[in-house]
Amino acid sequence: MRNYRDLVVWEKAHRLTLAVYKNTKAFPNDERFGLTSQMRRASASIAANLAEGCGRRSDGEMGRFIQIAMGSGAELSYHFLLARDLGLLEAKLYQGPDSDLGAIMRMMSSLSQTIRSHTLNEEKLGLVTSKLKAKS
């Protein structure tokens, strides 16, 4: 089990969620249950899935939750674009969070590759150990 607070990517995702909550406060009331809610849930889902993955026992499970977080990131990316195109987010309020999200997505991709590589190495080690035990 890992501590999610030790992950830089989790910290960045958490800060992004706080920014999304702040920026969506100015959205019209008729978007409260629409785009406002969707953006808040998608942004919170990124950090929440990273945290949940850290609470799991295996690297494989952690990798699965990173993939779910990446899906939420892709969803949020679209919501940023939609909010901008609807005139709900000014260009400067769109560019900063969208850029931050891009960095978070790259970090999650790298973390996913690292965990996948670690899992494969453990599996190879397990196969080698099994073969050595079988020969003895």
Side-chain angles (χ1 to χ4, degrees), residues 51-115:
E52 187 170 355
C54 285
R56 299 301 175 132
R57 294 179 187 216
S58 73
D59 285 346
E61 287 181 294
M62 176 67 184
R64 186 169 137 265
F65 280 94
I66 292 169
Q67 294 301 311
I68 294 168
M70 290 179 73
S72 295
E75 179 182 353
L76 182 59
S77 176
Y78 171 69
H79 291 320
F80 281 150
L81 180 66
L82 180 60
R84 184 202 65 191
D85 291 350
L86 290 172
L88 300 174
L89 278 180
E90 298 173 19
K92 68 178 181 177
L93 290 178
Y94 165 79
Q95 290 170 349
D98 191 60
S99 176
D100 293 343
L101 178 58
I104 290 166
M105 294 293 282
R106 288 187 298 278
M107 291 174 77
M108 288 192 296
S109 179
S110 178
L111 180 59
S112 178
Q113 289 173 353
T114 299
I115 287 176

Side-chain angles (χ1 to χ4, degrees), residues 10 34 40 44 48 81 97 99 109 113 119 125 135:
W10 176 86
R40 289 177 174 187
L81 180 66
S99 176
S109 179
Q113 289 173 353
T119 302
L125 181 61
K135 287 183 180 180

